[in-house]
Amino acid sequence: MTNNKILGLIGLAARARKIAFGADSVEMELKKKKVYLIIVATDSSERTKSKYQKLSEEHNVPIIITETIETLSKAIGKNNKAIIGIEDMNISKEIKKINNGGDIIG
């Protein structure tokens, strides 16, 4: 199920240059404590999902597994990106709220 509000917020973060995308980049920014939310595509490999599940627990950063690689990539204007790290605290809070069934205020 495509959630356009989440994709819109991911796009907003991308335009604000508040994202890391791709496995190496997200992992590097996680270690620098710059990532507030990890988003992994549903059609990424099980190995990738489990790796980022472990990283999210180690660094105490929430993780959301949603959308397809194609949909996430289109939202940030890139190709073939299965992993996105949101580096803006407010945008990550809104994405978590929407993902948990809440709605955007305003």
Side-chain angles (χ1 to χ4, degrees):
M1 183 182 93
T2 302
N3 190 328
N4 291 328
K5 290 180 181 177
I6 289 177
L7 293 175
L9 286 168
I10 292 170
L12 179 67
R15 287 188 298 281
R17 296 198 167 121
K18 290 288 188 177
I19 63 166
F21 49 84
D24 297 337
S25 177
V26 172
E27 193 172 342
M28 190 171 66
E29 296 302 318
L30 256 175
K31 289 176 181 170
K32 293 180 187 174
K33 301 194 183 309
K34 289 186 176 181
V35 174
Y36 296 101
L37 176 67
I38 303 168
I39 301 171
V40 180
T42 53
D43 55 349
S44 58
S45 71
E46 289 303 316
R47 183 172 170 228
T48 299
K49 289 178 193 173
S50 66
K51 175 183 177 180
Y52 281 89
Q53 200 81 43
K54 286 177 189 165
L55 280 171
S56 82
E57 290 168 14
E58 284 174 23
H59 296 279
N60 200 23
V61 174
I63 185 169
I64 295 175
I65 299 175
T66 186
E67 306 301 337
T68 62
I69 292 172
E70 184 181 345
T71 310
L72 286 177
S73 299
K74 192 184 278 186
I76 62 170
K78 302 287 179 195
N79 290 328
N80 204 23
K81 301 298 176 197
I83 298 143
I84 298 173
I86 304 293
E87 296 177 348
D88 183 280
M89 189 182 293
N90 294 322
I91 292 174
S92 66
K93 283 180 186 174
E94 287 298 322
I95 292 172
K96 285 187 286 188
K97 191 189 312 179
I98 294 166
N99 191 59
N100 294 332
D103 211 349
I104 296 178
I105 299 168

